[in-house]
Amino acid sequence: MTRIITNFNEKGGVGKTCSTLNIGAALSILGKKVLLIDLDPSRKLTKYCGINPETLEKSTYHVAIGYVKPEDIVIQLPKIDLLPATKDLEAAIEDFVLMRERHGRMGELLFREQTKDFFMNYDYVIFDTMPTHSKLTDAALIASTEVFMVVLPEYFSVDSLADLLQTVQDIQSAHNPTLQITGAYIARKHGGFGSHLNLDSHVKESLGKLLFNTKIRTCESVNNSTGHHRDIFEYDKKSRGAKDYMALAKEIVQQEGKYE
Ligand SMILES: Nc1ncnc2c1ncn2[C@@H]1O[C@H](COP(=O)(O)OP(=O)(O)OP(=O)(O)O)[C@@H](O)[C@H]1O
Ligand SMILES: [Mg+2]
C-alpha cells in the first residue's frame, strides 16, 4: 500500500523541504521506493536535489494542468525519484481556477486523477508544499492519504495549529474523507535531546500521540547540505542530522499498516 504524505505547515523556513528530502533519502536507505514531489513554485526541493530547474522544460506544473503524465517528467536520482518544479508552477494556481470555469472540474481534483496510478509504483510519496496556503497546497492534500505536521517549537502556537487543522478538516470534508493526520515532528530543535520544548501546552495536548519521539535537532551539516544540493546522508552521514532523520524514518516505517 502506497503511503502518500503531505509535509505540512503553512509557515516558511520551518524545515519542510529539508525534511522532505532527508526523510525521503532515509526511507530509501531503509529499502523503500520513494517519490518526492515539488509543489512549491520556489522550487527549493528541486534545487536541494541538485537539479537546476532552469534546465527543465516540463515539471509538476505540466502535470497539474494535464499536459503531461508524471512518468514523462520523473527524474530518477540515486536514492529517490523526483517530480520537479519549474517557475511555471506559480501559474497553476491561476490555471486551476480557469480549469474549473472551462471544464467544471477543479484542477486540484484533476491532479489527483492524473497522478494516482503512477503513485502506486512507490512505497512512499511525499509532497513538499508552499509556505502559504494555496490551491497547490490543496492539490497536495487532496492527493494524499496522510499529513505530517512539521513543527518548529519556537513558533508553534495554538492559533497556527488551529489554522492547519482547519485546512486539513476542510479538505477532508470537501474532497478527501480518508485523509488522516498521522504524525507530527519537531524540526530544527535547538539544544540537546533533554532540553525543554517550548511548545504551548495546548499544542502538546492536541498533537499528543501524533508527535514522533525523534526530534530533528538544529545541525550545521543539515544547513550546509542544502547549499551543496545533497541529502544529509551523502553530505555528512555521521552528523546528528543524519542520525535524527534516520531515527525518524524508522519510526515512520514502524507505522506501516497502522493507518491503512
Ligand atoms: N535541522 C536543521 N538544522 C539547521 N538548519 C536547518 C535544519 N533544517 C533546515 N535548515 C535550514 O533552514 C532553512 C529553511 O529550511 P527549509 O527550506 O527546509 O524550510 P521550509 O519550511 O521548506 O521553508 P519554505 O517554506 O520557505 O520553503 C534552510 O536554509 C535549511 O538549510
Ligand atoms: Mg520549502
mmCIF file of all heavy atoms in Angstrom, residues 106-145:
data_model
loop_
_atom_site.group_PDB
_atom_site.id
_atom_site.type_symbol
_atom_site.label_atom_id
_atom_site.label_comp_id
_atom_site.label_asym_id
_atom_site.label_seq_id
_atom_site.Cartn_x
_atom_site.Cartn_y
_atom_site.Cartn_z
ATOM 1 N N MET A 106 -12.438 20.926 -10.754
ATOM 2 C CA MET A 106 -11.336 21.631 -10.100
ATOM 3 C C MET A 106 -9.993 21.034 -10.521
ATOM 4 O O MET A 106 -9.835 19.816 -10.518
ATOM 5 C CB MET A 106 -11.455 21.492 -8.580
ATOM 6 C CG MET A 106 -12.559 22.305 -7.966
ATOM 7 S SD MET A 106 -12.787 21.813 -6.245
ATOM 8 C CE MET A 106 -11.225 22.319 -5.526
ATOM 9 N N GLY A 107 -9.043 21.909 -10.854
ATOM 10 C CA GLY A 107 -7.709 21.445 -11.216
ATOM 11 C C GLY A 107 -7.085 20.604 -10.116
ATOM 12 O O GLY A 107 -6.387 19.624 -10.371
ATOM 13 N N GLU A 108 -7.368 20.981 -8.867
ATOM 14 C CA GLU A 108 -6.794 20.247 -7.728
ATOM 15 C C GLU A 108 -7.266 18.789 -7.735
ATOM 16 O O GLU A 108 -6.530 17.878 -7.374
ATOM 17 C CB GLU A 108 -7.222 20.866 -6.392
ATOM 18 C CG GLU A 108 -6.861 22.315 -6.198
ATOM 19 C CD GLU A 108 -7.992 23.240 -6.631
ATOM 20 O OE1 GLU A 108 -8.312 23.262 -7.838
ATOM 21 O OE2 GLU A 108 -8.538 23.938 -5.783
ATOM 22 N N LEU A 109 -8.502 18.580 -8.155
ATOM 23 C CA LEU A 109 -9.029 17.208 -8.196
ATOM 24 C C LEU A 109 -8.456 16.436 -9.380
ATOM 25 O O LEU A 109 -8.141 15.253 -9.288
ATOM 26 C CB LEU A 109 -10.555 17.230 -8.301
ATOM 27 C CG LEU A 109 -11.294 17.610 -7.011
ATOM 28 C CD1 LEU A 109 -12.779 17.757 -7.285
ATOM 29 C CD2 LEU A 109 -11.072 16.557 -5.938
ATOM 30 N N LEU A 110 -8.318 17.153 -10.499
ATOM 31 C CA LEU A 110 -7.744 16.506 -11.688
ATOM 32 C C LEU A 110 -6.312 16.051 -11.416
ATOM 33 O O LEU A 110 -5.871 15.018 -11.911
ATOM 34 C CB LEU A 110 -7.775 17.458 -12.887
ATOM 35 C CG LEU A 110 -9.173 17.697 -13.455
ATOM 36 C CD1 LEU A 110 -9.139 18.782 -14.521
ATOM 37 C CD2 LEU A 110 -9.757 16.421 -14.057
ATOM 38 N N PHE A 111 -5.613 16.831 -10.591
ATOM 39 C CA PHE A 111 -4.229 16.478 -10.259
ATOM 40 C C PHE A 111 -4.184 15.097 -9.592
ATOM 41 O O PHE A 111 -3.329 14.275 -9.903
ATOM 42 C CB PHE A 111 -3.615 17.547 -9.344
ATOM 43 C CG PHE A 111 -2.185 17.277 -8.975
ATOM 44 C CD1 PHE A 111 -1.170 17.515 -9.887
ATOM 45 C CD2 PHE A 111 -1.844 16.762 -7.739
ATOM 46 C CE1 PHE A 111 0.159 17.252 -9.568
ATOM 47 C CE2 PHE A 111 -0.529 16.491 -7.404
ATOM 48 C CZ PHE A 111 0.476 16.744 -8.328
ATOM 49 N N ARG A 112 -5.122 14.852 -8.701
ATOM 50 C CA ARG A 112 -5.164 13.529 -8.059
ATOM 51 C C ARG A 112 -5.397 12.433 -9.100
ATOM 52 O O ARG A 112 -4.747 11.392 -9.076
ATOM 53 C CB ARG A 112 -6.264 13.500 -6.993
ATOM 54 C CG ARG A 112 -6.499 12.106 -6.432
ATOM 55 C CD ARG A 112 -7.365 12.090 -5.187
ATOM 56 N NE ARG A 112 -8.698 12.599 -5.408
ATOM 57 C CZ ARG A 112 -9.584 12.814 -4.434
ATOM 58 N NH1 ARG A 112 -9.246 12.575 -3.180
ATOM 59 N NH2 ARG A 112 -10.782 13.277 -4.702
ATOM 60 N N GLU A 113 -6.325 12.705 -10.024
ATOM 61 C CA GLU A 113 -6.626 11.684 -11.043
ATOM 62 C C GLU A 113 -5.421 11.420 -11.938
ATOM 63 O O GLU A 113 -5.162 10.297 -12.340
ATOM 64 C CB GLU A 113 -7.823 12.134 -11.874
ATOM 65 C CG GLU A 113 -9.123 11.899 -11.131
ATOM 66 C CD GLU A 113 -10.303 12.618 -11.750
ATOM 67 O OE1 GLU A 113 -10.325 12.766 -12.978
ATOM 68 O OE2 GLU A 113 -11.182 13.038 -10.976
ATOM 69 N N GLN A 114 -4.692 12.515 -12.247
ATOM 70 C CA GLN A 114 -3.526 12.410 -13.123
ATOM 71 C C GLN A 114 -2.395 11.604 -12.504
ATOM 72 O O GLN A 114 -1.535 11.120 -13.214
ATOM 73 C CB GLN A 114 -2.953 13.823 -13.361
ATOM 74 C CG GLN A 114 -3.717 14.661 -14.308
ATOM 75 C CD GLN A 114 -3.235 14.350 -15.704
ATOM 76 O OE1 GLN A 114 -3.803 13.474 -16.363
ATOM 77 N NE2 GLN A 114 -2.191 14.994 -16.147
ATOM 78 N N THR A 115 -2.343 11.556 -11.178
ATOM 79 C CA THR A 115 -1.158 11.013 -10.519
ATOM 80 C C THR A 115 -1.384 9.679 -9.806
ATOM 81 O O THR A 115 -0.424 8.973 -9.517
ATOM 82 C CB THR A 115 -0.642 12.023 -9.458
ATOM 83 O OG1 THR A 115 -1.735 12.424 -8.630
ATOM 84 C CG2 THR A 115 -0.019 13.239 -10.112
ATOM 85 N N LYS A 116 -2.628 9.336 -9.533
ATOM 86 C CA LYS A 116 -2.832 8.219 -8.586
ATOM 87 C C LYS A 116 -2.284 6.880 -9.077
ATOM 88 O O LYS A 116 -1.707 6.140 -8.285
ATOM 89 C CB LYS A 116 -4.280 8.143 -8.106
ATOM 90 C CG LYS A 116 -5.300 7.736 -9.130
ATOM 91 C CD LYS A 116 -6.664 7.555 -8.419
ATOM 92 C CE LYS A 116 -7.650 6.926 -9.319
ATOM 93 N NZ LYS A 116 -8.674 7.697 -9.902
ATOM 94 N N ASP A 117 -2.410 6.572 -10.364
ATOM 95 C CA ASP A 117 -1.875 5.286 -10.838
ATOM 96 C C ASP A 117 -0.347 5.259 -10.737
ATOM 97 O O ASP A 117 0.243 4.256 -10.340
ATOM 98 C CB ASP A 117 -2.286 5.042 -12.301
ATOM 99 C CG ASP A 117 -3.772 4.747 -12.400
ATOM 100 O OD1 ASP A 117 -4.386 4.460 -11.344
ATOM 101 O OD2 ASP A 117 -4.327 4.828 -13.513
ATOM 102 N N PHE A 118 0.251 6.382 -11.089
ATOM 103 C CA PHE A 118 1.714 6.466 -11.043
ATOM 104 C C PHE A 118 2.238 6.276 -9.616
ATOM 105 O O PHE A 118 3.249 5.612 -9.396
ATOM 106 C CB PHE A 118 2.159 7.823 -11.601
ATOM 107 C CG PHE A 118 3.643 7.992 -11.654
ATOM 108 C CD1 PHE A 118 4.420 7.214 -12.498
ATOM 109 C CD2 PHE A 118 4.279 8.932 -10.848
ATOM 110 C CE1 PHE A 118 5.805 7.356 -12.546
ATOM 111 C CE2 PHE A 118 5.659 9.081 -10.888
ATOM 112 C CZ PHE A 118 6.419 8.298 -11.745
ATOM 113 N N PHE A 119 1.528 6.848 -8.660
ATOM 114 C CA PHE A 119 1.964 6.755 -7.258
ATOM 115 C C PHE A 119 2.041 5.308 -6.779
ATOM 116 O O PHE A 119 2.803 4.988 -5.872
ATOM 117 C CB PHE A 119 0.998 7.538 -6.354
ATOM 118 C CG PHE A 119 1.111 9.040 -6.452
ATOM 119 C CD1 PHE A 119 0.232 9.866 -5.761
ATOM 120 C CD2 PHE A 119 2.098 9.634 -7.223
ATOM 121 C CE1 PHE A 119 0.333 11.243 -5.849
ATOM 122 C CE2 PHE A 119 2.205 11.016 -7.329
ATOM 123 C CZ PHE A 119 1.312 11.822 -6.629
ATOM 124 N N MET A 120 1.237 4.436 -7.388
ATOM 125 C CA MET A 120 1.193 3.046 -6.924
ATOM 126 C C MET A 120 2.516 2.313 -7.154
ATOM 127 O O MET A 120 2.741 1.223 -6.642
ATOM 128 C CB MET A 120 0.054 2.280 -7.619
ATOM 129 C CG MET A 120 -1.332 2.783 -7.267
ATOM 130 S SD MET A 120 -1.612 2.823 -5.480
ATOM 131 C CE MET A 120 -2.078 4.515 -5.209
ATOM 132 N N ASN A 121 3.423 2.934 -7.929
ATOM 133 C CA ASN A 121 4.742 2.332 -8.147
ATOM 134 C C ASN A 121 5.667 2.487 -6.942
ATOM 135 O O ASN A 121 6.794 1.992 -6.953
ATOM 136 C CB ASN A 121 5.452 2.998 -9.338
ATOM 137 C CG ASN A 121 4.705 2.781 -10.626
ATOM 138 O OD1 ASN A 121 4.295 1.662 -10.911
ATOM 139 N ND2 ASN A 121 4.488 3.847 -11.391
ATOM 140 N N TYR A 122 5.216 3.245 -5.949
ATOM 141 C CA TYR A 122 6.119 3.605 -4.841
ATOM 142 C C TYR A 122 5.581 3.127 -3.497
ATOM 143 O O TYR A 122 4.384 2.927 -3.333
ATOM 144 C CB TYR A 122 6.290 5.134 -4.790
ATOM 145 C CG TYR A 122 6.955 5.655 -6.039
ATOM 146 C CD1 TYR A 122 6.197 6.042 -7.142
ATOM 147 C CD2 TYR A 122 8.340 5.714 -6.132
ATOM 148 C CE1 TYR A 122 6.805 6.489 -8.304
ATOM 149 C CE2 TYR A 122 8.955 6.163 -7.293
ATOM 150 C CZ TYR A 122 8.187 6.544 -8.377
ATOM 151 O OH TYR A 122 8.802 6.971 -9.521
ATOM 152 N N ASP A 123 6.516 2.985 -2.522
ATOM 153 C CA ASP A 123 6.097 2.726 -1.139
ATOM 154 C C ASP A 123 5.707 4.041 -0.467
ATOM 155 O O ASP A 123 4.768 4.097 0.320
ATOM 156 C CB ASP A 123 7.253 2.091 -0.338
ATOM 157 C CG ASP A 123 7.689 0.763 -0.933
ATOM 158 O OD1 ASP A 123 6.811 -0.087 -1.162
ATOM 159 O OD2 ASP A 123 8.902 0.584 -1.191
ATOM 160 N N TYR A 124 6.478 5.089 -0.777
ATOM 161 C CA TYR A 124 6.236 6.402 -0.167
ATOM 162 C C TYR A 124 6.252 7.501 -1.224
ATOM 163 O O TYR A 124 7.155 7.545 -2.071
ATOM 164 C CB TYR A 124 7.334 6.735 0.865
ATOM 165 C CG TYR A 124 7.163 5.979 2.164
ATOM 166 C CD1 TYR A 124 7.688 4.701 2.313
ATOM 167 C CD2 TYR A 124 6.449 6.534 3.216
ATOM 168 C CE1 TYR A 124 7.508 3.988 3.491
ATOM 169 C CE2 TYR A 124 6.262 5.825 4.405
ATOM 170 C CZ TYR A 124 6.796 4.565 4.537
ATOM 171 O OH TYR A 124 6.605 3.867 5.700
ATOM 172 N N VAL A 125 5.243 8.355 -1.155
ATOM 173 C CA VAL A 125 5.207 9.561 -1.992
ATOM 174 C C VAL A 125 5.109 10.727 -1.010
ATOM 175 O O VAL A 125 4.244 10.731 -0.131
ATOM 176 C CB VAL A 125 3.962 9.539 -2.911
ATOM 177 C CG1 VAL A 125 3.843 10.853 -3.676
ATOM 178 C CG2 VAL A 125 4.024 8.353 -3.873
ATOM 179 N N ILE A 126 6.025 11.689 -1.127
ATOM 180 C CA ILE A 126 5.999 12.807 -0.164
ATOM 181 C C ILE A 126 5.953 14.141 -0.917
ATOM 182 O O ILE A 126 6.786 14.416 -1.788
ATOM 183 C CB ILE A 126 7.226 12.786 0.776
ATOM 184 C CG1 ILE A 126 7.418 11.387 1.388
ATOM 185 C CG2 ILE A 126 7.061 13.835 1.889
ATOM 186 C CD1 ILE A 126 8.623 11.259 2.292
ATOM 187 N N PHE A 127 4.955 14.953 -0.566
ATOM 188 C CA PHE A 127 4.789 16.275 -1.174
ATOM 189 C C PHE A 127 5.504 17.337 -0.359
ATOM 190 O O PHE A 127 5.351 17.408 0.867
ATOM 191 C CB PHE A 127 3.304 16.672 -1.178
ATOM 192 C CG PHE A 127 2.498 16.050 -2.269
ATOM 193 C CD1 PHE A 127 1.641 14.993 -1.999
ATOM 194 C CD2 PHE A 127 2.562 16.545 -3.567
ATOM 195 C CE1 PHE A 127 0.868 14.427 -3.008
ATOM 196 C CE2 PHE A 127 1.791 15.988 -4.579
ATOM 197 C CZ PHE A 127 0.945 14.929 -4.300
ATOM 198 N N ASP A 128 6.224 18.215 -1.050
ATOM 199 C CA ASP A 128 6.741 19.426 -0.427
ATOM 200 C C ASP A 128 5.841 20.577 -0.853
ATOM 201 O O ASP A 128 5.611 20.778 -2.055
ATOM 202 C CB ASP A 128 8.184 19.688 -0.881
ATOM 203 C CG ASP A 128 8.784 20.857 -0.133
ATOM 204 O OD1 ASP A 128 8.590 20.933 1.099
ATOM 205 O OD2 ASP A 128 9.431 21.708 -0.762
ATOM 206 N N THR A 129 5.331 21.322 0.124
ATOM 207 C CA THR A 129 4.341 22.359 -0.194
ATOM 208 C C THR A 129 4.852 23.768 0.120
ATOM 209 O O THR A 129 5.885 23.939 0.748
ATOM 210 C CB THR A 129 3.040 22.102 0.597
ATOM 211 O OG1 THR A 129 3.375 21.967 1.978
ATOM 212 C CG2 THR A 129 2.346 20.849 0.112
ATOM 213 N N MET A 130 4.047 24.745 -0.315
ATOM 214 C CA MET A 130 4.415 26.164 -0.180
ATOM 215 C C MET A 130 4.278 26.650 1.263
ATOM 216 O O MET A 130 3.520 26.079 2.036
ATOM 217 C CB MET A 130 3.453 27.010 -1.026
ATOM 218 C CG MET A 130 3.554 26.792 -2.486
ATOM 219 S SD MET A 130 2.211 27.668 -3.331
ATOM 220 C CE MET A 130 2.690 29.382 -3.097
ATOM 221 N N PRO A 131 4.965 27.759 1.577
ATOM 222 C CA PRO A 131 4.837 28.321 2.923
ATOM 223 C C PRO A 131 3.539 29.104 3.157
ATOM 224 O O PRO A 131 3.315 29.596 4.253
ATOM 225 C CB PRO A 131 6.053 29.233 3.055
ATOM 226 C CG PRO A 131 6.510 29.501 1.676
ATOM 227 C CD PRO A 131 6.050 28.382 0.806
ATOM 228 N N THR A 132 2.722 29.246 2.137
ATOM 229 C CA THR A 132 1.419 29.891 2.345
ATOM 230 C C THR A 132 0.351 28.961 1.784
ATOM 231 O O THR A 132 0.632 28.135 0.918
ATOM 232 C CB THR A 132 1.308 31.227 1.582
ATOM 233 O OG1 THR A 132 1.708 30.992 0.239
ATOM 234 C CG2 THR A 132 2.162 32.301 2.191
ATOM 235 N N HIS A 133 -0.862 29.160 2.254
ATOM 236 C CA HIS A 133 -1.936 28.294 1.768
ATOM 237 C C HIS A 133 -2.299 28.682 0.336
ATOM 238 O O HIS A 133 -2.492 29.852 0.044
ATOM 239 C CB HIS A 133 -3.157 28.428 2.679
ATOM 240 C CG HIS A 133 -4.216 27.425 2.343
ATOM 241 N ND1 HIS A 133 -5.379 27.317 3.024
ATOM 242 C CD2 HIS A 133 -4.275 26.463 1.378
ATOM 243 C CE1 HIS A 133 -6.114 26.352 2.506
ATOM 244 N NE2 HIS A 133 -5.455 25.826 1.497
ATOM 245 N N SER A 134 -2.360 27.705 -0.544
ATOM 246 C CA SER A 134 -2.733 27.985 -1.929
ATOM 247 C C SER A 134 -3.447 26.764 -2.490
ATOM 248 O O SER A 134 -3.550 25.729 -1.823
ATOM 249 C CB SER A 134 -1.493 28.273 -2.775
ATOM 250 O OG SER A 134 -0.859 27.052 -3.106
ATOM 251 N N LYS A 135 -3.876 26.888 -3.728
ATOM 252 C CA LYS A 135 -4.523 25.746 -4.385
ATOM 253 C C LYS A 135 -3.533 24.594 -4.591
ATOM 254 O O LYS A 135 -3.941 23.447 -4.752
ATOM 255 C CB LYS A 135 -5.124 26.188 -5.720
ATOM 256 C CG LYS A 135 -6.370 27.032 -5.518
ATOM 257 C CD LYS A 135 -7.008 27.431 -6.816
ATOM 258 C CE LYS A 135 -8.284 28.216 -6.560
ATOM 259 N NZ LYS A 135 -9.294 27.429 -5.837
ATOM 260 N N LEU A 136 -2.244 24.921 -4.600
ATOM 261 C CA LEU A 136 -1.247 23.851 -4.723
ATOM 262 C C LEU A 136 -1.171 23.039 -3.427
ATOM 263 O O LEU A 136 -0.978 21.821 -3.455
ATOM 264 C CB LEU A 136 0.126 24.435 -5.061
ATOM 265 C CG LEU A 136 0.277 24.922 -6.508
ATOM 266 C CD1 LEU A 136 1.535 25.762 -6.668
ATOM 267 C CD2 LEU A 136 0.298 23.744 -7.476
ATOM 268 N N THR A 137 -1.333 23.733 -2.290
ATOM 269 C CA THR A 137 -1.383 23.001 -1.016
ATOM 270 C C THR A 137 -2.602 22.087 -1.026
ATOM 271 O O THR A 137 -2.528 20.914 -0.630
ATOM 272 C CB THR A 137 -1.533 23.986 0.177
ATOM 273 O OG1 THR A 137 -0.737 25.138 -0.049
ATOM 274 C CG2 THR A 137 -1.200 23.321 1.483
ATOM 275 N N ASP A 138 -3.722 22.642 -1.490
ATOM 276 C CA ASP A 138 -4.947 21.835 -1.550
ATOM 277 C C ASP A 138 -4.751 20.625 -2.465
ATOM 278 O O ASP A 138 -5.188 19.520 -2.139
ATOM 279 C CB ASP A 138 -6.128 22.676 -2.065
ATOM 280 C CG ASP A 138 -6.575 23.708 -1.041
ATOM 281 O OD1 ASP A 138 -6.162 23.591 0.133
ATOM 282 O OD2 ASP A 138 -7.321 24.620 -1.411
ATOM 283 N N ALA A 139 -4.091 20.846 -3.605
ATOM 284 C CA ALA A 139 -3.867 19.736 -4.547
ATOM 285 C C ALA A 139 -3.078 18.618 -3.867
ATOM 286 O O ALA A 139 -3.382 17.433 -4.023
ATOM 287 C CB ALA A 139 -3.134 20.233 -5.791
ATOM 288 N N ALA A 140 -2.064 19.009 -3.080
ATOM 289 C CA ALA A 140 -1.260 18.001 -2.367
ATOM 290 C C ALA A 140 -2.111 17.261 -1.346
ATOM 291 O O ALA A 140 -2.090 16.025 -1.264
ATOM 292 C CB ALA A 140 -0.063 18.673 -1.688
ATOM 293 N N LEU A 141 -2.892 18.015 -0.584
ATOM 294 C CA LEU A 141 -3.710 17.384 0.471
ATOM 295 C C LEU A 141 -4.793 16.489 -0.133
ATOM 296 O O LEU A 141 -5.129 15.445 0.423
ATOM 297 C CB LEU A 141 -4.338 18.455 1.368
ATOM 298 C CG LEU A 141 -3.356 19.226 2.268
ATOM 299 C CD1 LEU A 141 -4.050 20.412 2.933
ATOM 300 C CD2 LEU A 141 -2.741 18.313 3.326
ATOM 301 N N ILE A 142 -5.319 16.892 -1.274
ATOM 302 C CA ILE A 142 -6.365 16.092 -1.921
ATOM 303 C C ILE A 142 -5.782 14.775 -2.450
ATOM 304 O O ILE A 142 -6.425 13.726 -2.404
ATOM 305 C CB ILE A 142 -7.044 16.907 -3.058
ATOM 306 C CG1 ILE A 142 -7.912 18.016 -2.449
ATOM 307 C CG2 ILE A 142 -7.887 16.008 -3.961
ATOM 308 C CD1 ILE A 142 -8.448 19.030 -3.458
ATOM 309 N N ALA A 143 -4.531 14.844 -2.926
ATOM 310 C CA ALA A 143 -3.909 13.641 -3.493
ATOM 311 C C ALA A 143 -3.288 12.742 -2.422
ATOM 312 O O ALA A 143 -2.845 11.638 -2.718
ATOM 313 C CB ALA A 143 -2.847 14.050 -4.508
ATOM 314 N N SER A 144 -3.256 13.205 -1.174
ATOM 315 C CA SER A 144 -2.547 12.471 -0.117
ATOM 316 C C SER A 144 -3.449 11.528 0.657
ATOM 317 O O SER A 144 -4.665 11.691 0.688
ATOM 318 C CB SER A 144 -1.923 13.466 0.885
ATOM 319 O OG SER A 144 -0.869 14.168 0.292
ATOM 320 N N THR A 145 -2.817 10.562 1.298
ATOM 321 C CA THR A 145 -3.543 9.721 2.253
ATOM 322 C C THR A 145 -3.252 10.172 3.681
ATOM 323 O O THR A 145 -4.021 9.883 4.588
ATOM 324 C CB THR A 145 -3.125 8.240 2.099
ATOM 325 O OG1 THR A 145 -1.693 8.148 2.216
ATOM 326 C CG2 THR A 145 -3.543 7.693 0.740
#
